[in-house]
Amino acid sequence: MQIFRPGVNTVAKISILAGALVTVLVLNFLFVQDRSPYSRARAGIAVAQPVRFSHQLHSDQLNISCNYCHASANEYAYAGIPDTHTCMSCHSQIAVYSELLEPVRTSYETGDPLVWNKVHDLAEHVYFNHGVHVQNGVGCETCHGRVDQMALVWQAETMTMAWCLECHFAPEDFIRPADEIFTFGYEPPIDQAVLGEQLLEEYEINPEGLGDCWVCHR
Ligand code: HEC
Ligand code: HEC
Ligand code: HEC
Ligand code: HEC
Ligand code: HEC
């Protein structure tokens, strides 16, 4: 007696083949596409801006904290870009005749915001959250490089999926004490392995499942 119609076997074979093909395609997508020069094209290239705002001057020389302009990074998903009022809190008194600041003064007078060009721009299908990282020991420098030394900002890391996962699979190799989040030029101690384990407990990070697809694709 035949339990399945003869056609079913062929259907099963085709679906196994199709399944294998999809797997190969997905793996190819993730591991080949992810490393292509295209996805890294932005890394390392300074982005032109409507005003020559220099992090090197404001952060390193003037020692203004990142928080002065990007405070929401501590708590919220977006770090945010400061508005014209934030600039004018100083520049209504400092360098008032500077030509470089002309667009800032115009924006202040007209109320039209300055339109900054994005340096980082994750794909729409990726969920990211600053606050979670800042509160769990990941320094700004770990993801953005030496912003404090950049006249114009560029993307220092590839921001590919493989790059995110390198840390999500082993956060203990990268996390820092809470008072080093805003440190630039941080040197991890030689016993990072020991410190890392300690910090996992302190921040109550459970690396189990941090690489699951739904964490970043929701
Ligand atoms: C006085 C205000 C100010 C301070 C202080 C400041 N920033 Fe910025 N930041 C800006 C402005 C304005 C932009 C948008 C223009 C640009 O990209 O240069 C920006 C852009 C950025 C970007 C790129 C955003 C994008 O488009 O993807 C990063 C990353 C960044 N800042 C990190 C930092 C870090 C880290 C610090 C501390 C070392 C810091 N900033 C301090 C004003 C500030
Ligand atoms: C906490 C104070 C402070 C804030 C906030 C601030 N700046 Fe400045 N900025 C300074 C100081 C101080 C200088 C150096 C002035 C000088 O050299 O005479 C400067 C210099 C500059 C210069 C160079 C001016 C020149 O002619 O050389 C630009 C451009 C500039 N700032 C843009 C901005 C923008 C855009 C913002 C807002 C995103 C901003 N600044 C926010 C303090 C500040
Ligand atoms: C775990 C990595 C990571 C850390 C840590 C991190 N950032 Fe970011 N940052 C990103 C990514 C990824 C983006 C792009 C987000 C997007 O395109 O949606 C970004 C974007 C930004 C932007 C552009 C505006 C925005 O909110 O998208 C600014 C400004 C910024 N970061 C500043 C900071 C500052 C300041 C710190 C430290 C307090 C920091 N970042 C820590 C990964 C990080
Ligand atoms: C240097 C380490 C590091 C890097 C790089 C990193 N992450 Fe994370 N990520 C963490 C840690 C640590 C946590 C917190 C885990 C916890 O709370 O248990 C986290 C948590 C998250 C969460 C969970 C947020 C929530 O709501 O619970 C998301 C989403 C996330 N990361 C996305 C990303 C993406 C997307 C990238 C790449 C653009 C990235 N991360 C890069 C270390 C990192
Ligand atoms: C830690 C965060 C994170 C996790 C976890 C994660 N992804 Fe991604 N994924 C990303 C980022 C970031 C990109 C965007 C890469 C880019 O633009 O180069 C991405 C892109 C993709 C893409 C589009 C291909 C591409 O290169 O843009 C696919 C498909 C994908 N992920 C599938 C998965 C699957 C399946 C899993 C679970 C095994 C997973 N992701 C887990 C962060 C993550």
Side-chain angles (χ1 to χ4, degrees), residues 136 168 171-172 199-201 203-211 215:
N136 282 285
H168 276 217
E172 62 278 12
L199 290 174
L200 282 186
E201 270 182 44
Y203 293 119
E204 298 176 6
I205 297 171
N206 179 9
E208 195 93 18
L210 207 48
V215 172

Side-chain angles (χ1 to χ4, degrees), residues 2-173:
Q2 236 179 336
I3 297 174
F4 297 113
R5 282 178 290 112
V8 173
N9 223 350
T10 321
V11 171
K13 272 188 198 151
I14 290 174
S15 56
I16 287 170
L17 267 179
L21 191 65
V22 167
T23 311
V24 168
L25 282 179
V26 167
L27 288 179
N28 185 55
F29 208 24
L30 299 188
F31 294 102
V32 182
Q33 176 110 343
D34 212 12
R35 280 151 215 261
S36 74
Y38 174 75
S39 54
R40 301 180 161 207
R42 299 167 72 93
I45 300 169
V47 176
Q49 299 293 353
V51 180
R52 281 194 67 90
F53 173 78
S54 165
H55 279 79
Q56 201 263 332
L57 172 66
H58 290 83
S59 303
D60 189 53
Q61 278 168 247
L62 298 172
N63 209 12
I64 305 171
S65 122
C66 309
N67 270 330
Y68 193 99
C69 295
H70 304 296
S72 60
N74 301 350
E75 265 185 80
Y76 302 103
Y78 295 100
I81 302 293
D83 63 8
T84 305
H85 284 87
T86 309
C87 310
M88 289 303 275
S89 66
C90 290
H91 288 295
S92 55
Q93 290 109 46
I94 297 168
V96 283
Y97 299 112
S98 163
E99 245 173 72
L100 293 177
L101 282 155
E102 185 59 48
V104 180
R105 290 191 295 267
T106 306
S107 160
Y108 192 68
E109 282 155 20
T110 61
D112 296 336
L114 290 163
V115 181
W116 302 98
N117 294 314
K118 276 191 186 181
V119 179
H120 301 80
D121 200 2
L122 280 187
E124 287 283 324
H125 55 83
V126 183
Y127 174 76
F128 182 75
N129 185 315
H130 272 94
V132 171
H133 291 91
V134 172
Q135 287 167 20
N136 282 285
V138 189
C140 311
E141 180 183 22
T142 306
C143 299
H144 293 302
R146 294 298 301 265
V147 179
D148 65 320
Q149 303 287 318
M150 297 177 189
L152 285 172
V153 184
W154 63 83
Q155 184 178 305
E157 298 292 338
T158 59
M159 303 274 156
T160 57
M161 175 159 143
W163 175 79
C164 306
L165 285 175
E166 192 185 342
C167 181
H168 276 217
F169 285 143
E172 62 278 12
D173 293 349

